[in-house]
């Protein structure tokens, strides 16, 4: 049975059951100034316009954990058998799964950059501030390393801590308060020790948006590719079906800096085109995608829609296994139209560790 990371009821507080690594101990942070600082404070129920909880004052591990007394800070409070090898890691390591949405306009893609400017950099920065762990401790990994300007609604990532969060809602609110408003943590859940956001992903869905009109809507300029010509939707739909199935996508895979020799066969499970004029949305789901593959496929389909190429040109280009042939007939579609909608996993990898069923979804939004 297949499953997509989904939401469940929100928890009510946060506790840390074990502070086993001194490098990640939750020590009080100095008081901060400005709106971004209020996340490190005593919990209050003040809501911002977008629904985030603001905290004010200095950061207190006791308050953010929901502890009633100092004794809890020195106690291990795990459920029976929780934390043992084979359930959620070891007694000194716990893994957590995130579902993340972001507007990629201002970012250099997902992948961490030494000088900042990436989504991963911002996520790790928020996690480090809350947990006091280092990048080396957290080991953040995402299902998809989206490019600069590409958006996501259902990016999935995991991270590791040397202590256990017993309840996750305040962690959830704190992270969203620290992060800029164009990045949101949609879900947090406990993950099994062998869960891997990237390697265990069974399928992914991307949407690519095109704005078809003589004049571009300025409100859509960061989220769609402007195409002025009229398009033959029927011809594009016919051509898109030639992508469905298992194929060698050498022709549609751009080389990347970390690319290695590997099998370039992937399966496209569905490829649909939704016409909501002037918006045209390409919805593609597959077992995996190579660097700029979706953008290259969409660009070719637009050439078919303009009448420049016949639908069967998809078959010919797939069979050629030659990236240069595609480059002669179309350019790579720009990044702003692309959005990672969801990442799916087998249900067995999504089950909570035994006797540990915590999830925080804030406003209960399912992927």
């Amino acid at each position: 049975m297949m499953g997509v990371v989904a939401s469940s009821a929100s928890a009510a507080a946060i506790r840390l059951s074990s502070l086993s690594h001194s490098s990640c101990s939750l020590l009080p942070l100095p008081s901060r100034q400005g709106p971004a600082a209020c996340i490190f404070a005593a919990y209050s129920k003040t809501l911002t316009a977008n629904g985030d909880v603001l905290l004010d004052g200095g950061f207190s591990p006791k308050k953010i954990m929901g502890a009633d007394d100092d004794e809890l800070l020195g106690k291990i409070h795990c459920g029976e058998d929780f934390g043992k090898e084979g359930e959620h890691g070891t007694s000194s390591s716990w893994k957590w799964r995130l579902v993340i949405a972001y507007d990629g306009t201002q970012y250099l893609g997902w992948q961490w950059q030494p000088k900042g400017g990436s989504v991963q950099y911002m996520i790790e920065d928020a996690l480090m501030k809350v947990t006091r762990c280092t990048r080396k401790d957290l080991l953040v990994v995402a299902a998809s390393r989206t490019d600069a300007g590409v958006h996501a609604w259902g990016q999935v990532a995991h991270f590791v801590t040397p202590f256990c969060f017993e309840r996750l809602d305040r962690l959830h609110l704190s992270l969203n308060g620290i992060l800029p408003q164009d990045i949101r943590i949609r879900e947090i859940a406990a993950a099994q020790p062998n869960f891997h956001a990237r390697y265990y992903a069974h399928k992914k869905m991307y949407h690519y948006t095109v704005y078809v009109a003589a004049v571009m809507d300025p409100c859509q300029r960061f989220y769609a590719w402007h195409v002025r010509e009229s398009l033959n939707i029927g011809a594009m739909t016919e051509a898109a079906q030639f992508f469905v199935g298992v194929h060698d996508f050498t022709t549609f895979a751009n080389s990347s800096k970390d690319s290695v020799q590997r099998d370039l066969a992937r399966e496209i499970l569905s490829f649909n085109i939704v016409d909501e004029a002037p918006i045209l949305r390409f919805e593609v789901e597959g077992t995996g995608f190579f660097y700029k593959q979706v953008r290259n496929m969409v660009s070719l389909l637009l050439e078919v829609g303009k009448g420049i190429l016949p639908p069967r040109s998809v078959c010919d280009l797939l069979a050629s296994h030659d990236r240069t042939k595609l480059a002669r007939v179309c350019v790579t579609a720009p990044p702003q139209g692309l959005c990672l909608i969801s990442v799916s996993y087998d249900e067995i990898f999504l089950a909570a560790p035994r006797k540990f069923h915590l999830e925080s979804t804030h406003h209960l939004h399912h992927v």
Side-chain angles (χ1 to χ4, degrees), residues 22-48:
S22 60
S23 63
C24 292
S25 60
L26 273 165
L27 301 177
L29 295 176
S31 297
R32 297 166 179 265
Q33 302 298 323
C38 47
I39 288 307
F40 291 97
Y43 182 73
S44 73
K45 294 185 178 179
T46 303
L47 296 177
T48 64

Side-chain angles (χ1 to χ4, degrees), residues 291-313:
Y291 184 51
K292 297 186 179 179
Q293 179 185 334
V294 175
R295 291 158 60 186
N296 286 327
M297 292 191 297
V298 168
S299 184
L300 178 64
L301 291 178
L302 289 174
E303 296 302 303
V304 172
K306 295 171 186 176
I308 297 173
L309 296 172
R312 290 200 64 85
S313 61

Side-chain angles (χ1 to χ4, degrees), residues 145-157:
R145 291 174 290 183
T146 54
D147 293 334
V150 173
H151 315 292
W153 172 246
Q155 173 75 281
V156 178

Side-chain angles (χ1 to χ4, degrees), residues 42-292:
Y43 182 73
S44 73
K45 294 185 178 179
T46 303
L47 296 177
T48 64
N50 65 353
D52 294 322
V53 173
L54 291 182
L55 313 177
D56 47 45
F59 176 79
S60 167
K62 187 196 307 185
K63 291 175 182 177
I64 200 168
M65 289 186 290
D68 296 322
D69 51 56
D70 292 327
E71 186 179 6
L72 180 61
L73 294 177
K75 285 185 175 181
I76 295 178
H77 186 66
C78 293
E80 182 182 354
D81 295 330
F82 174 70
K84 289 185 178 181
E85 186 69 42
E87 293 179 12
H88 196 62
T90 66
S91 59
S92 60
S93 178
W94 285 264
K95 187 174 285 187
W96 312 92
R97 185 176 65 249
L98 303 173
V99 179
I100 308 165
Y102 50 86
D103 179 335
T105 303
Q106 302 297 326
Y107 297 99
L108 302 174
W110 164 267
Q111 195 162 359
W112 188 86
Q113 303 288 335
K115 295 183 179 180
S118 73
V119 178
Q120 183 179 357
Y121 184 97
M122 302 303 294
I123 295 289
E124 290 183 354
D125 181 66
L127 284 169
M128 288 189 289
K129 286 174 179 175
V130 171
T131 66
R132 301 307 296 268
C133 292
T134 65
R135 287 193 70 234
K136 185 177 179 181
D137 295 315
L138 293 168
L139 299 173
V140 176
V141 177
S144 178
R145 291 174 290 183
T146 54
D147 293 334
V150 173
H151 315 292
W153 172 246
Q155 173 75 281
V156 178
H158 72 256
F159 69 97
V160 177
T161 58
F163 48 75
C164 169
F165 296 105
E166 227 181 47
R167 304 181 73 172
L168 301 176
D169 65 328
R170 293 187 183 178
L171 172 64
H172 194 172
L173 292 171
S174 295
L175 290 174
N176 277 341
I178 295 168
L179 288 164
Q181 292 189 9
D182 52 7
I183 302 176
R184 295 290 89 175
I185 305 296
R186 293 179 52 215
E187 300 177 23
I188 303 177
Q192 297 182 31
N194 61 345
F195 175 79
H196 195 284
R198 182 181 179 190
Y199 296 137
Y200 285 1
H202 187 85
K203 59 183 179 180
K204 300 175 184 177
M205 176 175 282
Y206 284 91
H207 287 181
Y208 192 96
T209 302
V210 174
Y211 192 88
V212 186
V215 178
M216 180 63 174
D217 178 351
C219 296
Q220 296 289 335
R221 70 192 188 281
F222 296 131
Y223 311 104
W225 185 13
H226 182 207
V227 174
R228 295 176 175 83
E229 300 90 337
S230 60
L231 299 172
N232 185 332
I233 308 298
M236 289 191 296
T237 300
E238 178 186 350
Q241 299 317 299
F242 292 123
F243 284 119
V244 177
V246 179
H247 302 284
D248 182 326
F249 283 96
T250 301
T251 304
F252 294 87
N254 282 28
S255 61
S256 59
K257 290 184 291 185
D258 61 344
S259 63
V260 294
Q261 288 296 112
R262 62 189 185 278
D263 181 12
L264 291 179
R266 288 292 185 272
E267 182 178 8
I268 299 298
L269 302 170
S270 64
F271 203 142
N272 300 309
I273 301 175
V274 179
D275 185 11
E276 298 176 342
I279 295 292
L280 191 65
R281 187 170 62 253
F282 296 78
E283 301 178 350
V284 56
E285 185 174 43
T287 57
F289 298 93
F290 298 109
Y291 184 51
K292 297 186 179 179

